[in-house]
Amino acid sequence: MDSPLPPNRQAWPTFADWLMHSDGRQHDLLHHRCSGTVAVDVCRARTTEAFDNPATDHLAIILVTAGRGKEHRLDFGHGEFSVTPSPGLAVLSSPNTPSRLRGKGPYEFLTVSFSAQATTTLLERSGLSKGFDSAPLGSKAWGDAQVESLCLDLDRASADSTPAGRLYVDGVWTSLVGRLLHLSQEATPSEPKRAKLHPRALAQVLDLMHARLGSGVSLDELAEVAGVNQLHFGRLFKQATGEPPYAYMTRLRVEEAQRLLRTHPEWTIAAIANTCGFSDQSHLSRHFKRIVGTTPANWRKAH
């Protein structure tokens, strides 16, 4: 399928940008979302026939989620290979590299794409100046339960555009990059087996989370305050607190909502939700009931 590139561009920004502007004869775009401070782009589509993809500025994981096609011939810029699409199979598309795909469906696929530059920056901050080699995962089809789970988690989480939702997407994206790095057999920085967050660093992280309850804070900012690389921060934080950063931040917001419900009876629950960083009253209510065991309105009546 031939699709003209945007004026003065050698590549589309993301796979979804091109998919939405192509003529759609061979595919149906089911949904498209973008979330996270690193702009993780997620789209789900259905196709009856494989189609060529133009170059984009992103790394993209193309994951088959449903259906089963006939044998395909694929070339993502690292040599042609064959595969029969089935749920769980994936391939990695390199940035600024067009691909050639031939084969019949039908099947559904999920594409998770993100900036190659943001990935390089993340790895450099983690001490991996060599960067990420996409060739090992772009020269064959492969399946990995962790990558599949993380991609599906990003698909679900990208619907939440709140600051807490973006923080969660950042965490999952970081884990995804780490897993791809492992699968591509890139060397990772050695880390002491008993590495822990220093109590002072943890206190600074918690202070920042408390200060940014309403506006949100990125995983990158928290890792920088802690003085550790972003690839390891989530694990070290959970080791220190018993919860991942997103869950901890959500609990802090619910606790702040409890305080405001008690001290400001004149405030509406919707206003309290907004003050505490929730997208709306229902968003607060869902997390409030999960953590406290009752709704904000019932809790306020009892206190």
Side-chain angles (χ1 to χ4, degrees):
M1 179 185 298
D2 296 324
S3 294
L5 293 175
N8 303 318
R9 288 199 62 85
Q10 295 181 341
W12 288 86
T14 71
F15 175 78
D17 286 315
W18 170 76
L19 199 63
M20 288 187 292
H21 286 85
S22 60
D23 60 22
R25 287 175 297 177
Q26 296 160 298
H27 68 268
D28 294 317
L29 181 62
L30 303 181
H31 70 238
H32 168 237
R33 302 177 183 132
C34 185
S35 187
T37 59
V38 295
V40 178
D41 207 85
V42 179
C43 67
R44 187 184 287 271
R46 180 187 298 115
T47 186
T48 56
E49 183 179 353
F51 46 90
D52 294 348
N53 302 330
T56 76
D57 295 337
H58 277 202
L59 280 161
I61 301 168
I62 304 171
L63 172 72
V64 179
T65 57
R68 189 176 299 272
K70 298 181 179 179
E71 184 180 57
H72 280 42
R73 303 296 298 178
L74 313 177
D75 189 340
F76 285 85
H78 306 290
E80 189 176 82
F81 60 95
S82 62
V83 63
T84 300
S86 61
L89 278 182
V91 70
L92 185 69
S93 177
S94 302
N96 305 310
T97 306
S99 59
R100 185 176 185 275
L101 295 83
R102 294 291 183 271
K104 300 290 186 180
Y107 53 87
E108 292 183 13
F109 62 94
L110 175 68
T111 300
V112 175
S113 66
F114 40 87
S115 165
Q117 182 56 53
T119 305
T120 299
T121 300
L122 171 64
L123 297 178
E124 288 177 347
R125 289 175 177 173
S126 303
L128 297 169
S129 57
K130 185 179 179 181
F132 177 73
D133 181 11
S134 59
L137 300 180
S139 58
K140 62 181 180 180
W142 44 274
D144 181 76
Q146 291 187 42
V147 169
E148 181 178 10
S149 177
L150 290 167
C151 287
L152 294 175
D153 204 10
L154 284 170
D155 186 30
R156 291 186 292 268
S158 60
D160 184 355
S161 61
T162 65
R166 289 193 294 271
L167 175 63
Y168 182 71
V169 167
D170 288 348
V172 179
W173 170 74
T174 299
S175 298
L176 181 60
V177 171
R179 183 60 180 169
L180 292 174
L181 189 66
H182 174 76
L183 292 175
S184 66
Q185 299 181 345
E186 285 288 329
T188 55
S190 59
E191 186 182 20
K193 291 183 179 179
R194 300 195 178 193
K196 297 181 179 179
L197 282 181
H198 190 279
R200 182 177 299 173
L202 177 60
Q204 292 175 325
V205 167
L206 297 183
D207 285 345
L208 180 58
M209 293 176 87
H210 278 281
R212 302 275 285 276
L213 286 179
S215 58
V217 61
S218 71
L219 196 69
D220 185 41
E221 291 176 290
L222 295 175
E224 184 176 356
V225 167
V228 300
N229 70 65
Q230 191 174 338
L231 285 172
H232 300 304
F233 174 73
R235 177 177 59 80
L236 295 177
F237 184 91
K238 184 175 180 180
Q239 177 182 303
T241 65
E243 295 178 290
Y246 170 77
Y248 193 95
M249 187 76 159
T250 300
R251 185 170 56 80
L252 288 182
R253 286 180 161 131
V254 168
E255 290 174 354
E256 176 64 7
Q258 287 179 285
R259 187 186 72 80
L260 294 176
L261 286 167
R262 185 174 54 250
T263 59
H264 291 278
E266 74 282 6
W267 286 18
T268 66
I269 295 176
I272 291 174
N274 181 67
T275 300
C276 296
F278 293 99
S279 58
D280 53 33
Q281 182 173 332
S282 64
H283 188 211
L284 165 62
S285 296
R286 183 170 71 253
H287 288 292
F288 195 100
K289 187 172 183 179
R290 176 177 58 83
I291 293 172
V292 181
T294 186
T295 65
N298 288 338
W299 191 90
R300 170 178 264 174
K301 290 177 183 177
H303 295 79

